[in-house]
Structures are given as C-alpha cells and as structure tokens.
Amino acid sequence: MSPLDIADPSILSRAADLYADPLSDKGLQRADGCGRLVLSGSENGTRIDDVFERSPIRIMFPRTGSRPVEEAVLINTGGGVAGGDRLECSVAVLPGASIAVTSQAAEKIYRALYEPALVVTRLKAQESAKLAWLPQETIVFNRARLHRTTEIDLFSGAEFLALEWLVLGRAAHGEVVVGGNITDSWRVKRDGRLIWADSFRITDEIFPHLNRRALLANCKAVATLTHFGPYLEKRLDFLREIIPSLGCSCAATLVSGLIVVRFAAEESSDLKLALRSFLEQFGPELGSGPFRVPKMWSC
C-alpha cells in the first residue's frame, strides 16, 4: 500500500470496521436454497408434476428399471449448513400419489458465530395420498445455531409418516456440545385446522444442564415421529407392543387424531438402529406404500 493510501481516512475507517466485531459472521457468504416437489396419481403410478430447485438444494429420483417413482432424495450440494443459511423444502402429494422423501446423507449444522441457520420444511398430503418424510439425521456441531420449522398440512383420507432427528456432536471426534442455540418446531394442520404444535429449544444457558434426568439425561440423539391415517388406536397399540424391542428410550401417544412418538438414545448409532427396526416392524402394519426404510439409509 502506498503512503497516500495509508493516509486516506476512508481506508483507515474501513479497516477499523473490519476488526470492530471479530465475533460477527454477517459478512460471510450465505446459501439460500429451495426445493419444491409436486406429485399426483395416475394409472401408471405416481407422476412428477413439478420440480423446482435452487442451489444448493437438488432433488433426485432413483429408479429401478421402468418402475414408477417411489422415492425422492434431497441433496445439499453445499456439504452442510452454516450460520445464516436459509434452506426451504416443500413436498405436495396430490390424491392417488405415493412417495417417500429422504436425504442423501446426514445433514451437518456447523458452528455459527452470530446468525442461526434457518431450515423450513412444508409438507402436504391430500385425500388418498401417501407421504413418508424420512430424512437422515441432523448432526449439530458445537456452538451451532439452528432454527428449524416443519409445517404439515393433512387432509382426511391421507396417510402420512414424518420423522426428524437430532444428534448433538460428532461422536467419532469425541465432540461434546457445550453451547449453541437450537429451536426445532412442528406445526400440524388437518383440513386447515391446527391439531398439534410442538417446539424443542436449547440455548447456551441450557446446555450445561442437559444431563439432568428431567431434560435429556445422557442422551445425545433424539427424534420425533408423527403418523396420520386410519385405525390410529389399533396402530398405537401395535406401536406400544414393539417399543420394548427397539433398544432405546421411546414412548408413543395419540393426540388430536395424530400419533406422536419420541425416541432418545445415548449414541446416534443406537437411535439409527432403533428407527430402522421401528420402520421394519411398523411399515408392514400400514400395508403397501412408502412407509419403509429408505434405500438411501443403506448406501
């Protein structure tokens, strides 16, 4: 830099602004991704009506031979989610259509200095539609900030299964999450009426107390699963019968015409085995459809 540049007051002020707040990540590059999928039923099975993608979100449809669409796979080409990122995904399943939606791999939420990552999922299942939302786990790194919202619109006659699960820290790295901010909210409507709302929230002040029995005890992996469809009381009885075989802490209830199941385990591997066993046993109880272990879980 020349002596004239150094003497320029504007240069000095810009340099001062650059270092004024070293713990701010507002100036970093952000991802603003979006994925939209609309499917309908046809004589030949489920048909893709509309697909919209905005980087870093991609939607793929793995098929075997000439079989109709059975599974959609979401891919985050960014390799993870950082503070300030905004990702939105919506899936609408019209009458007669059936689809399982999963993710290519576990989602990773990186450490954030200031802004939270915003993740919004919107799911809609109309009459006679079948929708299974079964992404792989979300791994929250130490000091990560995540605000995730799952909004669900259900219509009478639909069948629906949705799962979201969180893993605190990278077990393979021996990471212990001691701080951050996590908000995970659900809003479920039936025929336009709100029937269930739930929020899970952890802040910097709460993390030191998570090992208390009234909170997470020693569990580092938690999951929430919701189910909507016919014969709910019979299916709830079946769920309570298989829960002891899952090998993790688990409980199920029926509220406002919606089955809600909670899972918790000390290790993410134990939770994954429990969820796989759950789907392997519960899926056949629901008959034909997308309610099974996604193929991507085995890749």
Side-chain angles (χ1 to χ4, degrees), residues 214-232:
L215 299 180
L216 295 184
N218 293 318
C219 295
K220 301 296 188 298
V222 294
T224 297
L225 182 143
T226 59
H227 170 60
F228 176 79
Y231 317 115
L232 288 180

Side-chain angles (χ1 to χ4, degrees), residues 10 13 118 127 137 164 205 207 231 254 256-257 263 269 271 294:
S10 64
S13 63
L118 303 179
E127 302 85 352
E137 67 267 36
E164 287 289 4
E205 295 78 13
F207 272 103
Y231 317 115
L254 177 60
S256 300
F263 302 83
S269 56
L271 180 57

Side-chain angles (χ1 to χ4, degrees), residues 224-292:
T224 297
L225 182 143
T226 59
H227 170 60
F228 176 79
Y231 317 115
L232 288 180
E233 292 186 359
K234 177 184 175 182
R235 291 174 177 179
L236 178 63
D237 292 338
F238 177 81
L239 287 177
R240 289 174 171 169
E241 290 178 2
I242 68 173
I243 279 175
S245 70
L246 300 180
C248 74
S249 299
C250 182
T253 189
L254 177 60
V255 54
S256 300
L258 186 75
I259 290 179
V260 179
V261 189
R262 306 281 198 186
F263 302 83
E266 294 187 11
E267 302 290 341
S268 61
S269 56
D270 294 336
L271 180 57
K272 190 162 192 175
L273 288 174
L275 292 172
R276 177 181 289 274
S277 176
F278 176 91
L279 292 173
E280 289 172 347
Q281 296 181 70
F282 189 52
E285 183 73 10
L286 305 184
S288 61
F291 311 112
R292 60 184 182 277

Side-chain angles (χ1 to χ4, degrees), residues 10-233:
S10 64
I11 292 290
L12 295 177
S13 63
R14 288 198 298 270
D17 292 341
L18 186 62
Y19 293 99
D21 187 3
L23 295 181
S24 174
D25 55 359
K26 287 186 174 181
L28 302 179
Q29 184 176 359
R30 302 298 178 200
D32 186 7
C34 179
R36 183 179 66 242
L37 175 61
V38 180
L39 304 110
S40 63
S42 69
E43 295 180 356
N44 298 321
T46 299
R47 179 181 62 198
I48 302 170
D49 282 357
D50 182 45
V51 177
F52 174 81
E53 304 170 328
R54 184 170 68 229
S55 180
I57 300 297
R58 294 291 308 277
I59 305 174
M60 307 297 288
F61 303 92
R63 300 194 193 187
T64 303
S66 58
R67 298 179 66 181
V69 176
E70 296 181 346
E71 189 170 298
V73 180
L74 302 177
I75 301 173
N76 179 1
T77 60
V81 182
D85 287 355
R86 296 173 179 266
L87 302 179
E88 180 180 337
C89 180
S90 66
V91 180
V93 186
L94 306 183
S98 173
I99 193 70
V101 183
T102 186
S103 55
Q104 181 192 34
E107 188 63 276
K108 298 174 288 294
I109 311 298
Y110 298 120
R111 177 189 180 194
L113 297 176
Y114 181 77
E115 295 186 67
L118 303 179
V119 178
V120 178
T121 301
R122 295 186 174 93
L123 307 174
K124 178 182 290 186
Q126 295 190 358
E127 302 85 352
S128 73
K130 295 183 178 182
L131 170 59
W133 173 262
L134 300 170
Q136 300 194 56
E137 67 267 36
T138 296
I139 303 174
V140 180
F141 288 25
N142 190 33
R143 303 291 181 184
R145 296 179 178 273
L146 169 66
H147 289 186
R148 182 170 66 184
T149 302
T150 303
E151 301 175 358
I152 300 169
D153 283 322
L154 303 173
F155 292 81
S156 299
E159 286 194 75
F160 176 81
L161 189 72
L163 168 71
E164 287 289 4
W165 41 319
L166 289 170
V167 176
L168 302 180
R170 297 164 291 176
H173 290 258
E175 183 178 45
V176 178
V177 180
V178 297
N181 192 302
I182 303 171
T183 300
D184 195 9
S185 299
W186 292 72
R187 298 291 183 271
V188 181
K189 293 181 179 180
R190 175 182 178 178
D191 297 327
R193 176 175 173 267
L194 182 68
I195 60 172
W196 187 65
D198 181 75
S199 290
F200 174 83
R201 185 167 182 259
I202 310 176
T203 62
D204 283 321
E205 295 78 13
I206 300 299
F207 272 103
H209 307 287
L210 281 183
N211 59 348
R212 293 183 178 181
R213 291 181 59 85
L215 299 180
L216 295 184
N218 293 318
C219 295
K220 301 296 188 298
V222 294
T224 297
L225 182 143
T226 59
H227 170 60
F228 176 79
Y231 317 115
L232 288 180
E233 292 186 359

